[in-house]
Structure formats: C-alpha cells, structure tokens
Amino acid sequence: MFKLSEIWRYPLKSCGGFKVQQAWLDSRGLVGDRRWMLINANGRMVTQRQAPKLALVQVRELEFEQASHQALPEDLIPGLLPLRVNAPGMSELTITPLDEQAKGLRYREVGIWQDRCQAWLADNTCHQWFSDYLNQPIWLVQQPSTMLRPIDPDYADLTPSGAPQQVAFSDGFPLLLISQASLDDLNHKLASKTQPVAPIAMAAFRPNLVLSGCDAYAEDQAKQLVVMGEQGEQSFDLVKPCARCVIPSINLATGQFEDEPTRTLKTYRRDATNQQIYFGQNLLLGQDLLNAVQQHPQQISVGTRARLI
C-alpha cells in the first residue's frame, strides 16, 4: 500500500524547512510554503545557489502546532504565521507578518527566474539580519494574497473560474513529490561506491510530499497522485520532472558545496537530450481539488493512503 509518509513546508524560500503531520492546501500549494523570499539590490531572488549558507538557516512557525489542529483557526491568515529564524553566529530573528490592511506598506518588484511580480518589503530589522548573515545587502519580501504569478500555461490549465493558476515564491510549481524508494535507491548507489558516501537526507531535495510503499522512481511513470483524505480523494497532476541544480549537493551541516550526490545522479538521472538531471516530480492541484481550495483550505495528512495513476 502506498501512503503519504512525509509533508514538508518551507515558509522562507531557500532556507530550512520542517516536517508536519498535517498541512493545509490552498490554490498556491501548501498554506505557509514559500510565502517569504530574499532578494538582492536588483530585486532578484537570492537562493542557496548564490548563498549556500542559507542551507544553515532554520525557520519555525511560532504557532505551527496550533495551526495544524483538526480545525483551521478562524483567525489564521494562510501562510502568514510569525516566523522564528536562527542561523550560526546570529541572534534569533522573529519575522512578523505584514497586515494587508495596514497603510504605508512598501511594494517592491521582484524577479523569480523569468517572472516579475509585486511583493511587500518586510521591516528593516529583517533586512539587516539577513544582510549581516550573508555579508551583502539583502531584503526580505512577503507575498501579498493578491500577487499575480501565473504557472507556466504549457503545464497548467485554467482554474474553474477561467483564471490562470497562480504560484507563490516556489521555483515554478506549487508542490514537489519524491518517493522514499527513489532516495533509498540513490543512497544505495552512494553506499556502494569504492569510497562510500554518507546517506543524503530527504531535506536536501526539498520536497513537499514524500510517498512510501512504491517502487523507486514510480513517480516518473505516473500522471496523477491520489491521496485518500478525510473529506474524500485529493487528486494531483504530475506535470513535469524536477530538474535539479547544485542545491542537493550543499552539505546541510556545513553549508558548503560538495561533489555528491550530483556526481552520482549524473550517471543515471541525466537526460541525454538536454543534459538536465531529474529527480522528483512537480505537482499541480487537480481541477476538483483546485475548485475545493478556492472555497476553503483543504487538509492533507501524513499516513493517509495514496496511489499513483
């Protein structure tokens, strides 16, 4: 039997994430996932690709235990719980969500890959904390609920209302799926090398959903993931394999680039046509689920049965 064995959220793009037992889905993915982002002086996203030390930044939501209760709190603003941020050599930073109704909010145009969109600037204390940590000018921005950043229409259908599907500050898609067997297979290859390599943690690949009970790379052959939730079936479309950059080869204990697992992945996960390394599958919410979350966030839980189609 397949089951959903892990759910991961990353409130601040390219910083540390954490596992939860329950999460909520909205039209942009998991509630609270990648709704904050760091930018440079040009407004471009700053990630572990340019600043591998971000792998050492740990983020927690001050109220995430309460937010994971069976009933969604009436006053919960999706994705905007206060954050507690820690990093080596730094005092703890608390990031307070911006009030969408407040006056004087400062907008900033930001760049995520080829996309340009409007975000809100956090307060100067946050900018200074990250600037000090990375030793370069850095700004922290928050996604407004009205931010427009359409998903690539080559992969995403229109919403039930006829509008383009939107994504938050994720690289391009709302969710990422990896099977536990796929990671186990990679770690078996690493352990079998002439000079064995220590196992790579799932966190290095930054998935949102982890599926157990299936064969390695079963996600590559599927078109849909169906999760049997408490309110009925939740269907997700597997639309594009995830092309991997150097981020999985950042040591999560040191924040330094290493050769593995990229070197090994190149031997069996590199596409002969475009030379991209693929590991995991990008997901979209299926149309029925997308329609449901437009009415109210939907719960998804670890341990629920699932299947690939």
Side-chain angles (χ1 to χ4, degrees), residues 19-288:
K19 290 188 284 187
V20 294
Q21 290 299 303
Q22 295 92 27
W24 295 88
L25 291 159
D26 65 13
S27 61
R28 298 177 192 257
L30 295 181
V31 169
D33 186 61
R34 296 174 172 92
R35 308 302 166 100
W36 299 87
M37 183 175 71
L38 300 173
I39 60 171
N40 61 19
N42 296 321
R44 299 294 302 175
M45 66 175 179
V46 175
T47 74
Q48 293 179 30
R49 300 171 187 86
Q50 305 87 27
K53 284 177 60 178
L54 288 175
L56 306 180
V57 176
Q58 296 300 312
V59 181
R60 291 291 182 271
E61 291 175 335
L62 291 179
E63 303 172 18
F64 78 87
E65 292 181 356
Q66 291 88 336
S68 296
H69 285 176
Q70 294 299 310
L72 189 68
E74 289 291 333
D75 59 349
L76 175 63
I77 304 172
L80 300 185
L81 291 172
L83 302 180
R84 183 173 65 239
V85 183
N86 289 277
M90 302 292 293
S91 59
E92 184 171 273
L93 171 69
T94 298
I95 300 175
T96 302
L98 301 172
D99 182 355
E100 296 202 19
Q101 307 303 317
K103 296 181 180 179
L105 293 175
R106 297 174 296 164
Y107 277 97
R108 177 71 184 271
E109 185 178 75
V110 300
I112 313 169
W113 299 112
Q114 74 277 11
D115 297 334
R116 305 293 297 186
C117 51
Q118 295 290 321
W120 283 327
L121 285 167
D123 63 55
N124 290 332
T125 300
C126 298
H127 309 327
Q128 191 62 55
W129 193 94
F130 285 102
S131 297
D132 290 344
Y133 179 62
L134 295 180
N135 196 31
Q136 60 175 298
I138 294 291
W139 287 262
L140 175 68
V141 296
Q142 174 186 306
Q143 174 218 296
S145 61
T146 56
M147 186 186 84
L148 297 178
R149 188 181 171 225
I151 299 171
D152 188 336
D154 287 343
Y155 300 97
D157 295 328
L158 298 179
T159 67
S161 65
Q165 291 190 47
Q166 304 290 320
V167 67
F169 290 140
S170 308
D171 275 355
F173 295 89
L175 297 160
L176 175 64
L177 170 73
I178 296 177
S179 71
Q180 182 62 51
S182 298
L183 179 65
D184 292 344
D185 181 69
L186 168 62
N187 281 326
H188 175 74
K189 288 178 169 57
L190 293 174
S192 301
K193 296 177 77 70
T194 303
Q195 295 184 331
V197 177
I200 302 298
M202 185 66 79
F205 290 97
R206 304 177 67 77
N208 294 112
L209 306 179
V210 177
L211 187 65
S212 295
C214 62
D215 293 336
Y217 314 109
E219 62 269 34
D220 293 350
Q221 313 305 319
K223 298 298 183 182
Q224 284 187 316
L225 167 70
V226 180
V227 176
M228 274 59 87
E230 293 183 4
Q231 304 300 318
E233 291 189 348
Q234 299 170 328
S235 180
F236 304 84
D237 296 329
L238 284 68
V239 294
K240 185 178 183 294
C242 183
R244 309 312 308 214
C245 61
V246 295
I247 285 180
S249 289
I250 297 174
N251 187 311
L252 297 180
T254 66
Q256 300 292 319
F257 289 111
E258 297 187 352
D259 292 335
E260 295 290 5
T262 299
R263 175 181 290 175
T264 295
L265 286 170
K266 286 180 179 179
T267 66
Y268 76 110
R269 296 296 298 175
R270 184 158 62 178
D271 186 275
T273 302
N274 61 20
Q275 301 301 303
Q276 293 275 7
I277 297 170
Y278 292 109
F279 196 87
Q281 290 283 332
N282 289 297
L283 303 186
L284 295 177
L285 278 66
Q287 284 293 317
D288 288 345

